[in-house]
Amino acid sequence: CSPSAPACSHRGTAQIQLLLRVCKEAKKSAYCPYSRFPVGAALLTGDGKIFSGCNVENACYPLGVCAERTAIQKAVSEGYVNFRAMAIASNTEEDFIVPCGACRQVMREFGRDWDIYMTKPDGTYIVKTLQELLPLSFGPEDLKKF
Ligand code: THU
């Protein structure tokens, strides 16, 4: 199958295969006593480094953070802002796990032209660019127009 196929278990590059493994592993660290919905993320930087993340919930519910944003904040705080891909994993068997709207906006801060791999526990995934996930988006360039 091709990377643009709607759903596949195609063996991508070794780096993407690793990314897919790391997001599944990161899910094991999820701190989600309230939702009991563990999510793992793995973020691949332009120079090949991988940052993992999991959701981190809080007794004050709105303070909970998604796995995707945990990974991005870990990367940015270590000096990495150039991203090539992110993979996301959950335990939902029926659907591919998709990033929430807030995470899409945070991802978009770092470009529109990178890939998000949305997986199922059986190893299949769909892949979309940020541009596809968040069309007509507002980003850093828009602040430079006046
Ligand atoms: N969650 C994520 O971490 N990423 C997603 O893509 C969807 C939702 C988390 C937030 C919350 O801790 C739990 O899953 C249930 O919404």
Side-chain angles (χ1 to χ4, degrees):
C1 55
S2 77
S4 59
C8 76
S9 54
H10 171 74
R11 290 175 62 82
T13 65
Q15 244 171 355
I16 296 300
Q17 288 308 306
L18 179 60
L19 200 68
L20 294 166
R21 278 208 302 278
V22 172
C23 77
K24 222 168 171 172
E25 190 62 29
K27 187 181 65 182
K28 295 180 186 162
S29 301
Y31 178 77
C32 53
Y34 309 109
S35 71
R36 302 200 181 280
F37 189 84
V39 183
L43 179 61
L44 177 65
T45 69
D47 51 3
K49 205 170 153 60
I50 292 179
F51 288 90
S52 65
C54 64
N55 50 337
V56 183
E57 297 184 348
N58 193 277
C60 178
Y61 291 179
L63 298 185
V65 180
C66 293
E68 296 91 325
R69 274 178 283 161
T70 301
I72 289 176
Q73 287 167 11
K74 282 171 69 177
V76 173
S77 62
E78 304 254 333
Y80 294 84
V81 292
N82 179 18
F83 304 140
R84 213 185 294 170
M86 181 182 277
I88 314 165
S90 83
N91 289 338
T92 307
E93 309 268 355
E94 309 80 40
D95 295 306
F96 298 99
I97 180 70
V98 294
C100 76
C103 286
R104 291 178 198 208
Q105 180 64 32
V106 171
M107 292 167 176
R108 188 266 172 265
E109 181 71 17
F110 305 99
R112 279 176 288 218
D113 188 26
W114 53 292
D115 296 324
I116 309 300
Y117 289 78
M118 296 160 280
T119 72
K120 280 186 190 175
D122 67 4
T124 56
Y125 60 80
I126 50 174
V127 55
K128 302 272 182 204
T129 64
L130 239 303
Q131 169 62 25
E132 289 173 308
L133 288 178
L134 194 68
L136 291 175
S137 63
F138 184 84
E141 305 82 10
D142 295 295
L143 294 176
K144 295 175 188 138
K145 282 183 181 159
F146 55 90

